[in-house]
Amino acid sequence: MGFTMGLNLLLLVAMVATNILSLYHLSSNLQSKPPVAPPVPDHLLHQLQTIRATINHLTRLQPPAPPAAATKKSTLSIPSDLLLYTHLSPIASSCKDHPDLLYQYMNYTPFSLCPSDSSVAESLILRGCHPLPRRRCFSKTPSSIPTSLPKTPFSTLPEKALLWNSYTCKSFTCLSQKNPNLGFDMKVEGSRFLGFKSDLDLPIPQFLQLTKSSKSVIRLALDIGGGTGTFAAQMKLQNVTVVTTTMNLGAPYSEAVALRGLLPLHVPLQQRLPVFDGVVDLVRCGHAVNRWIPLTMMEFLFFDVDRVLRGGGYLWLDHFFSKKADLEKVFQPLIWKLNYRKVKWAVANKNDASGVKNGEVYLTALLQKPVSR
């Protein structure tokens, strides 16, 4: 009995001694200095500081979470200086409405030559799929490089400077012979916008005289649906910079504009004009703007024109055609919604076969935006 009690006492003393030694060792480790960490690079410190500043800024500006009953009434305020974009879409929303065309356009081999599918691209753009999805393929280029480019915007266009695979005609000569009014015959284009044949015409010299008399300065302009860019070419000779919007519908209009030393924008009529507010002196609408455009889209187009025009700038409707009754009851009231000053307003019958058949008329109008509102 005594031996057992002595053994138990010895074990108890050993356990207490072991715990005391463990506590001593732990306390000594806590009091000792931790190992020195390697220095953090300056660029990482800068990134961490930026992240911390952003989190602190968001924390200060974001209100505390409201009670469940008030959740529906509260709105989250996102600081615009930190979160510029919350969602980046890889394709325009209308692209998904045309999966067959979209599949054709995106069915390519990455990191190789892009397929010859400009007609598919045009079809998608006209259906609202714009901007088109980006692709990782190389654009094709002509096999031969022209030794020289046109020195003036009315020089003969070099036919070897572009690819003709997508078009029925394989040369500018073919296009000119097919229809001289397409804008590819530079001999014909050299006299356009300069002469006066009827009240529907507004020659560029007369237009510049009108703007000069009203003490307006014309420096920058936008030509909507400008074809091969002849209006921009004529205005370039008057030291006026004009950007031309184009679509390659059956012919290389964009390439022709570029070969003339002018700037083409490959955009459809339904797209918001890629120009900032109030920076353009003149917007001209050619034959592409006509009665075939849906009324709602045309209304948005005119108000987008108003957006990009500066105060005192001009809207030029050049040979806008519609049915006579529609002009009086629909389009004229739409145009007057802009409250522009009427500088010129000329209406005449459209005497070609389509015009006679449908009772159509032409309208040429020059309207000036109010200087201030």
Side-chain angles (χ1 to χ4, degrees), residues 216-286:
S216 298
V217 178
I218 305 298
R219 304 154 300 171
L220 300 174
L222 186 64
D223 190 14
I224 298 177
T228 61
T230 295
F231 179 76
Q234 296 287 13
M235 294 295 278
K236 183 179 182 179
L237 301 180
Q238 304 295 328
N239 296 321
V240 178
T241 301
V242 179
V243 176
T244 304
T245 72
T246 66
M247 288 291 292
N248 282 24
L249 300 177
Y253 291 101
S254 296
E255 293 95 323
V257 175
L259 286 174
R260 301 175 77 175
L262 308 168
L263 179 61
L265 288 180
H266 189 226
V267 296
L269 293 174
Q270 65 265 38
Q271 185 203 346
R272 187 177 189 264
L273 297 172
V275 181
F276 192 68
D277 302 0
V279 297
V280 174
D281 305 310
L282 166 69
V283 175
R284 175 186 171 270
C285 298

Side-chain angles (χ1 to χ4, degrees), residues 192-203 223-225 284-292 298 302 315-323 327 335 344-352 360-366:
R192 288 189 61 201
F193 300 105
L194 300 179
F196 185 91
K197 297 180 181 179
S198 70
D199 290 339
L200 293 171
D201 295 320
L202 180 56
D223 190 14
I224 298 177
R284 175 186 171 270
C285 298
H287 281 247
V289 181
N290 56 63
R291 73 180 182 93
W292 297 112
M298 186 177 295
F302 285 156
L315 167 60
W316 180 350
L317 294 174
D318 193 356
H319 285 71
F320 173 90
F321 69 86
S322 70
K323 293 184 177 181
L327 178 62
I335 295 170
K344 178 183 177 69
W345 186 276
V347 179
N349 292 330
K350 188 171 179 282
N351 293 322
D352 59 5
E360 294 174 333
V361 295
Y362 277 125
L363 164 67
T364 292
L366 182 65

Side-chain angles (χ1 to χ4, degrees), residues 72-329:
K72 295 183 179 179
K73 298 182 180 179
S74 65
T75 57
L76 179 61
S77 175
I78 300 177
S80 59
D81 57 332
L82 293 178
L83 301 179
L84 296 180
Y85 304 100
T86 59
H87 179 68
L88 294 178
S89 178
I91 63 173
S93 60
S94 295
C95 296
K96 62 180 176 57
D97 297 332
H98 307 281
D100 294 341
L101 287 173
L102 184 60
Y103 175 79
Q104 292 181 49
Y105 184 73
M106 297 304 292
N107 185 21
Y108 69 97
T109 303
F111 314 113
S112 62
L113 285 177
C114 296
S116 300
D117 55 2
S118 60
S119 60
V120 177
E122 297 282 329
S123 298
L124 279 169
I125 291 174
L126 291 175
R127 287 163 175 78
C129 180
H130 193 270
L132 291 170
R134 287 177 170 175
R135 301 191 295 187
R136 293 175 298 170
C137 57
F138 300 102
S139 60
K140 293 183 178 181
T141 56
S143 57
S144 61
I145 302 175
T147 56
S148 64
L149 292 174
K151 296 182 179 180
T152 71
F154 294 101
S155 300
T156 302
L157 300 178
E159 297 183 344
K160 294 183 179 180
L162 53 87
L163 299 171
W164 294 92
N165 301 345
S166 302
Y167 310 111
T168 303
C169 278
K170 306 302 180 184
S171 66
F172 291 121
T173 303
C174 172
L175 289 169
S176 300
Q177 292 174 349
K178 186 176 180 179
N179 187 349
N181 296 322
L182 289 178
F184 295 99
D185 188 343
M186 294 299 107
K187 295 180 180 179
V188 175
E189 299 304 295
S191 59
R192 288 189 61 201
F193 300 105
L194 300 179
F196 185 91
K197 297 180 181 179
S198 70
D199 290 339
L200 293 171
D201 295 320
L202 180 56
I204 288 177
Q206 182 185 9
F207 165 71
L208 294 177
Q209 185 61 40
L210 288 172
T211 59
K212 184 178 180 180
S213 62
S214 62
K215 298 181 180 180
S216 298
V217 178
I218 305 298
R219 304 154 300 171
L220 300 174
L222 186 64
D223 190 14
I224 298 177
T228 61
T230 295
F231 179 76
Q234 296 287 13
M235 294 295 278
K236 183 179 182 179
L237 301 180
Q238 304 295 328
N239 296 321
V240 178
T241 301
V242 179
V243 176
T244 304
T245 72
T246 66
M247 288 291 292
N248 282 24
L249 300 177
Y253 291 101
S254 296
E255 293 95 323
V257 175
L259 286 174
R260 301 175 77 175
L262 308 168
L263 179 61
L265 288 180
H266 189 226
V267 296
L269 293 174
Q270 65 265 38
Q271 185 203 346
R272 187 177 189 264
L273 297 172
V275 181
F276 192 68
D277 302 0
V279 297
V280 174
D281 305 310
L282 166 69
V283 175
R284 175 186 171 270
C285 298
H287 281 247
V289 181
N290 56 63
R291 73 180 182 93
W292 297 112
I293 300 176
L295 186 61
T296 301
M297 195 181 87
M298 186 177 295
E299 184 175 35
F300 275 107
L301 172 62
F302 285 156
F303 277 89
D304 201 28
V305 168
D306 176 79
R307 178 185 63 83
V308 302
L309 276 176
R310 64 168 176 80
Y314 292 88
L315 167 60
W316 180 350
L317 294 174
D318 193 356
H319 285 71
F320 173 90
F321 69 86
S322 70
K323 293 184 177 181
K324 183 177 181 180
D326 290 342
L327 178 62
E328 297 173 353
K329 296 180 181 179

